[in-house]
Amino acid sequence: MEELFYKSTRDNSIKVKASQAILKGLSDDGGLFIPERIPVLEKSLKEIAGMTYQETAYEVMSRFFTDFTEEELKNCISRAYDSKFDTDVIAPLVEADGAYYLELFHGQTIAFKDMALSILPHLMITSAKKNNIKNDIVILTATSGDTGKAALAGFADVEGTKIIVFYPKNGVSAIQEKQMVTQKGKNTFVVGIHGNFDDAQTGVKKIFADKEFAAQLDAHGYQFSSANSINIGRLVPQVVYYVYAYATLLREGKVADGESINVVVPTGNFGNILAAYFAKHMGVPIDKLICASNDNKVLFDFFENGVYDRNREFYLTTSPSMDILISSNLERLIYLICGEDSEKNKTFMEQLSKEGIYTISDDMKAQLKDFAGGFATEEETAQRIRDLYEKTGYVLDTHTAVASAVYEKYKENTKDTKKTVIASTASPFKFAKSVMQAIDGKEEQESDFELIERLSKTANVTIPNAIEEIRTAPVLHDHICEKEGMKDIIKEFLGI
């Protein structure tokens, strides 16, 4: 197989192997690694329809990670997608009210981030061996709620690694916070910051770009990498489940071979929908990629008018993992639609950093025809949870409900009746209070765990192990810092 190299979105002259891109996470120039071409699937979707999730993962990932041997990659896959998922099929497809919900929350932290973060530690350790890395790898991550716990669970007590997670102190759900602050593992550190997710993400990016700090770390036997979706080792495993979803529809006779489908993704940092875009370019017949936003509708406005503008009010919503105004992964799409012109892309990103806004050209806008934007208000999100439950008994979490509400509006506006897959990104148990409020239509007075018991009866679903585990777990992480103090707390943790 021809080797696939990775370029930086801000400097085309940078060219690294997949394992090097995974190890670094972010390019030294602040750019994101992107494959020099999106590879096509080697096997037909009809052939893939007869495969397990693990076999599908190998078919997709082997096209991207060409410097991994078959044995190395299959070992990573088998260790990732095993009994820690509570269903053998890993990503079930459930039909409800005329759409197919791709349930991506059956991993150990009950959110879609498990799909990629179960394999990333194995990819990273394999990459370190391949590149003769002697330093310990320090995973530095900002989270809007789900990445943090999934990364912590993935890297806990993994030899040769440490993981530091920053989250907005008042910007995640009570269950999300409890999942993180109770995390075991001698190499895990969790810090709440006074600020929002964008502050945490900007702080992490600045630390990655600090060459002096990198030299200091190196002298102490450490080097940074990222578990955020900016890491190509996070993005590629996400492509797998869109290929698998189409293959499942094909196997079950829900679509004819080659029949186009639409995909709806609740979107914050743009990684999950970008993975669907990659799947489309690999050969999956996806027509529209419907990007669903909550009240923080920076992406909806971008798809409407070609202007990305983060200078706006920031809302804390019931779908906190989407409360984001700087969608980092959009940079990869901007790079692709500006003709892979790294200088042009760099200018846009500098404008975003300095002025908080950039405007793409009409030519670039024309290349966004694959996408449709939509948004759902808090009221529409709650209404959709209630309506779907009353109609079918199926219960959505708040993020999936944003996507479902956007899809209902899209259908009404366009009369597009194609079969549609909706990425179901989290278990409703993770957001029990908001979900039960939506179903009951009233303010809930019970504790989170009382609400979880009631949700279990309402949805007729067993409480996931991930929730049971944290019910009585002690708080092990209670650090809080200002956004300006992130570097100091890293030094403290690492003893520098």
Side-chain angles (χ1 to χ4, degrees), residues 246 255-262 285-288 418-420:
Y246 189 87
V255 296
D257 194 10
E259 181 183 341
S260 288
I261 62 165
N262 293 329
I286 296 169
D287 183 27
K288 279 286 181 240
K418 282 184 198 72
K419 309 268 173 45
T420 296

Side-chain angles (χ1 to χ4, degrees), residues 79-93:
R79 292 174 74 178
Y81 304 114
D82 58 10
S83 60
K84 61 181 161 286
F85 284 82
D86 64 18
T87 168
D88 289 343
V89 296
I90 308 294
L93 208 53

